[in-house]
Amino acid sequence: MTAIAERPAEAQHARKPLMTSKAILLMNAGFFGIQYSFGMQQTAVNPVFTFIGASPDELPILNLAGPITGLLIQPLIGALSDRTWSPRWGRRRPFFLLGAIGCAVCLFLFPMAAALWMAVLLLWLLDASNNTAMEPYRAFLADKLPDSQLAKGFLTQSFFTGFGITLANLSLWVFQKLLSGSTDAGIPYWVFISFWLGAVCSIGSILVTTLSTKENPPTPAELEQLRQKREHGNAIGDIVAAVRAMPASLHKLGLVYMFQWYAIVIYWQFASLSLVRSIFGATEDDKALYAQAVGVNGLANGLYNIVTFSTAFLLVGLARKYGAKWVHTLALGLAAAAMFVFPHIGSQWLLILPMIGLGIAWASMMGVPYIMVVSMVPKERYGVYMGIVNMMIVVPMIIQTVTFGWIFKHLLGDEPRNALMFSGALFLLAAVAMTWIRPPKRQSPVVPLTFRQIMGYGRVLVGSDGSPSALRAVDRAAEVAAASEAELIIATVYNPMTARQEASLALTAPGDTRAGQVRGEEHGRQVLAETRERVNTARVRLAEGLVLPGDPAHAIVDAADLHRADLIVVGNRGMGAVAGTLLGSVTGDIVKAASCDVLIVQTLPGPGGDGDPAAEPVEEHAEEAAEGSAGAERSRR
């Protein structure tokens, strides 16, 4: 068999070059501007509504723009960006550049609103622009970075999230100290400067990313897929198909999102109203004291976002050690504690205590779940699934805007401090719901999604040609799959040559091991059926069986890429192996070409045995499974 010198182009897309820390910072710089805009929405939009006449119980419904535009725009933009490619502009960059321009224009105009309806309209346009920029940016990151750098990339976004929102919030507090006076509509002049600074940051930071970071060009096979998508489908159909194919763990993550995003929106809407009572002993009717409370709220939000960008990279180490699932669970618990404490603090300088907890939670919310998502979904659908995840964010927001006004008025006694206590209870429920999520089947080799004593795999592929060596490999693959709760794929590769061609090969190239392999598709199906009978399906979930023509090594490696397997299991010798050799040529070629872990099962006969595993039943013990997983780790390419 000829050794594999080069992988097919369509399989090479998974191999992405490592990026330097500087390059990762530059590619994420645009997120700073997007998050400055988002920070102004968090802290300044509701005070503007209040300044021009909105009552507290009207605030939730006035914020309906955000979740509605997110629900409609993000999945659509994600699906469209998946279907887009321009040699000059790329796939994602046109969308977040267009969104940044819209953000800059809306931020410049927002403080000029003289009536409530004008402010609401500008909020709709601002949120539409933010959503157009945000979702493709997350997919852009997943497109560019190899698996080993995804955690660093997403938590770099958390760093810029904290940095951008910090500047937005602190600008309110700082400019309030420097400027006085207000418009006839009652909007202070210091609000103008904060919004205008955001407009500059929004477009400027996106330009840094656009000019410094090019997108990875698609392979010819990927370009053909894009062409077929445009010709035979539409973006709406992509969204519907993706929703139907969502993994179960992603549905469970939606429940966590329901609680955590409902809770954080309550904080954004009612923090300043709580502070004017707890710190100043007044209500929003006292415009002067309420303006001071808005400034203090900006300072508090700045504090928690300083904590966010200070701890974002620390979370990488914690996730690496304990698993992303438990890091996020702890972070949500800290957010719950922060909301229970916040309404009872009477000094603005003591607000740093709950803001530490909220800042850690916000860093986790903006980074850790996305590590989980990209490990669950196929690369070519990152855009649409990032949009769906953001639907899971905006649906709780919509529910909050249409329900919380009534809850606030009739159940919480029109008391903003009770609203924040209610937010804390929801964060606590989110933490409990997080413990229900089973780890996604494909875990990051750098940042595991849950803590395990053995290496976890989500999808194990084993090649079988019916030989004793291959059957022993199937037994070991079943053990590893059972221990990791993974799907098991069995692949049988057959020789498509005719009998005459095989006889000719045996005469002209007697050393070529293609002679004597599985002959023909029918023989391949028979071998596959016999192999499947060996697997205890009560303990192992069989995903599918594959009968593939062609070169065994090429076929197995390409099938592993196509089906997103993260472990290939093979015997060290198979049918046609040269007697006395330690490693068969097929196995050696798989090791050279595979882009995932390879477990090579020792199949030489033991003392007093003949090496035939047919008489050796699969062991039902976790210790052997752990041993198999350790072997896989040792075989990591």
Side-chain angles (χ1 to χ4, degrees):
M1 180 179 301
T2 304
I4 301 174
E6 185 176 349
R7 290 286 312 284
E10 59 268 25
Q12 293 174 358
H13 71 269
R15 296 185 176 181
K16 306 170 189 174
L18 292 173
M19 297 183 68
T20 65
S21 296
K22 178 182 177 181
I24 292 175
L25 287 171
L26 287 173
M27 75 179 292
N28 279 292
F31 218 68
F32 165 75
I34 294 172
Q35 292 303 316
Y36 187 108
S37 174
F38 191 51
M40 295 306 295
Q41 285 185 246
Q42 287 182 15
T43 306
V45 164
N46 286 296
V48 169
F49 287 159
T50 303
F51 282 133
I52 55 182
S55 62
D57 62 296
E58 291 177 325
L59 292 180
I61 198 67
L62 292 176
N63 282 269
L64 190 61
I68 288 293
T69 54
L71 181 65
L72 298 177
I73 290 176
Q74 290 219 16
L76 183 60
I77 291 295
L80 288 173
S81 68
D82 281 344
R83 302 159 63 87
T84 298
W85 174 254
S86 164
R88 180 176 181 182
W89 296 102
R91 171 176 291 175
R92 317 292 184 184
R93 290 186 302 167
F95 295 95
F96 56 71
L97 182 59
L98 179 64
I101 294 172
C103 287
V105 172
C106 293
L107 287 171
F108 183 80
L109 295 177
F110 196 89
M112 301 180 186
L116 189 57
W117 70 266
M118 295 174 62
V120 171
L121 176 61
L122 282 169
L123 177 60
W124 279 83
L125 296 174
L126 176 62
D127 228 299
S129 300
N130 258 337
N131 283 302
T132 299
M134 177 105 55
E135 189 283 326
Y137 216 117
R138 297 199 186 278
F140 171 65
L141 195 71
D143 290 341
K144 285 286 293 182
L145 292 175
D147 287 350
S148 62
Q149 291 188 310
L150 280 174
K152 184 176 183 179
F154 280 117
L155 289 168
T156 301
Q157 281 195 352
S158 290
F159 169 83
F160 278 110
T161 295
F163 189 38
I165 298 177
T166 296
L167 182 59
N169 290 309
L170 291 182
S171 69
L172 293 168
W173 183 72
V174 170
F175 290 135
Q176 184 188 54
K177 306 298 183 183
L178 300 178
L179 297 172
S180 60
S182 62
T183 66
D184 293 339
I187 300 176
Y189 289 132
W190 47 268
V191 173
F192 281 71
I193 304 301
S194 296
F195 273 95
W196 290 350
L197 178 60
V200 174
C201 290
S202 180
I203 191 65
S205 62
I206 284 289
L207 286 176
V208 170
T209 293
T210 303
L211 297 176
S212 66
T213 309
K214 305 298 181 184
E215 297 193 60
N216 296 334
T219 65
E222 289 173 329
L223 285 174
E224 177 62 21
Q225 289 179 354
L226 289 175
R227 185 189 65 78
Q228 292 180 359
K229 278 186 177 182
R230 289 192 290 264
E231 290 181 358
H232 304 294
N234 56 71
I236 301 298
D238 288 348
I239 296 170
V240 173
V243 170
R244 289 176 177 172
M246 275 175 58
S249 292
L250 203 52
H251 286 282
K252 295 177 182 179
L253 186 63
L255 180 62
V256 177
Y257 271 38
M258 174 64 72
F259 292 129
Q260 74 180 28
W261 286 99
Y262 196 116
I264 195 68
V265 172
I266 293 174
Y267 169 78
W268 292 335
Q269 291 172 354
F270 290 91
S272 61
L273 294 169
S274 174
L275 288 172
V276 76
R277 288 162 170 78
S278 60
I279 292 180
F280 297 98
T283 69
E284 64 278 0
D285 295 330
D286 187 329
K287 297 297 183 183
L289 289 178
Y290 179 62
Q292 291 186 49
V294 171
V296 172
N297 187 33
L299 177 63
N301 288 350
L303 288 173
Y304 90 69
N305 282 286
I306 289 174
V307 174
T308 293
F309 71 74
S310 299
T311 60
F313 294 110
L314 177 63
L315 293 183
V316 177
L318 292 175
R320 186 177 289 128
K321 185 174 182 179
Y322 298 108
K325 168 182 173 178
W326 298 111
V327 168
H328 195 53
T329 300
L330 176 62
L332 292 171
L334 292 174
M339 292 299 97
F340 289 136
V341 170
F342 186 92
H344 305 294
I345 292 179
S347 168
Q348 60 181 307
W349 303 114
L350 291 178
L351 289 174
I352 189 172
L353 298 176
M355 292 303 98
I356 291 174
L358 187 60
I360 294 172
W362 185 238
S364 184
M365 287 171 66
M366 296 304 292
V368 173
Y370 294 96
I371 301 172
M372 302 175 74
V373 171
V374 297
S375 69
M376 298 181 197
V377 301
K379 168 189 176 293
E380 64 275 8
R381 306 186 83 177
Y382 279 162
V384 67
Y385 272 110
M386 289 297 176
I388 290 171
V389 169
N390 282 284
M391 288 173 64
M392 291 158 53
I393 293 174
V394 300
V395 167
M397 291 181 173
I398 293 173
I399 295 173
Q400 193 272 347
T401 59
V402 299
T403 62
F404 194 69
W406 185 91
I407 293 172
F408 177 75
K409 189 170 185 177
H410 294 91
L411 300 182
L412 301 178
D414 275 327
E415 174 53 66
R417 287 172 291 189
N418 291 341
L420 295 192
M421 297 284 286
F422 187 79
S423 172
L426 292 176
F427 272 123
L428 191 59
L429 287 174
V432 173
M434 192 70 199
T435 65
W436 182 44
I437 296 179
R438 296 178 65 182
K441 291 302 181 184
R442 186 186 179 205
Q443 299 200 59
S444 166
V446 177
V447 181
L449 303 178
T450 188
F451 181 73
R452 288 187 176 181
Q453 293 296 329
I454 64 170
M455 171 64 69
Y457 293 103
R459 189 166 291 169
V460 177
L461 186 145
V462 59
S464 174
D465 57 12
S467 65
S469 172
L471 294 178
R472 184 181 292 269
V474 170
D475 289 346
R476 181 52 57 91
E479 294 166 357
V480 175
S484 297
E485 300 178 355
E487 295 176 327
L488 180 65
I489 303 173
I490 301 174
T492 295
V493 184
Y494 64 88
N495 184 349
M497 297 192 319
T498 63
R500 178 176 297 179
Q501 289 173 326
E502 187 175 344
S504 175
L505 178 66
L507 291 174
T508 58
D512 196 312
T513 56
R514 281 176 291 180
Q517 291 181 356
V518 178
R519 295 176 298 279
E521 183 175 359
E522 187 59 35
H523 185 197
R525 294 188 182 281
Q526 179 184 347
V527 168
L528 177 64
E530 293 172 354
T531 302
R532 289 171 66 96
E533 290 179 359
R534 294 182 60 85
V535 178
N536 181 354
T537 54
R539 299 186 67 240
V540 180
R541 184 153 50 98
L542 284 174
E544 51 194 306
L546 305 175
V547 179
L548 307 169
D551 178 281
H554 273 134
I556 288 174
V557 172
D558 290 344
D561 281 341
L562 179 63
H563 295 273
R564 300 178 66 242
D566 40 21
L567 176 67
I568 298 173
V569 180
V570 288
N572 68 324
R573 295 180 62 217
M575 244 176 156
V578 178
T581 59
L582 179 64
L583 200 65
S585 60
V586 171
T587 303
D589 289 341
I590 289 174
V591 171
K592 294 175 187 176
S595 56
C596 64
D597 289 0
V598 179
L599 170 60
I600 303 173
V601 179
Q602 174 59 263
T603 58
L604 296 178
D610 60 3
D612 186 354
E616 302 175 17
V618 177
E619 293 290 329
E620 298 275 331
H621 303 291
E623 289 82 5
E624 276 225 2
E627 178 189 342
S629 292
E633 182 66 14
R634 291 194 299 270
S635 304
R636 182 183 296 274
R637 192 176 59 85

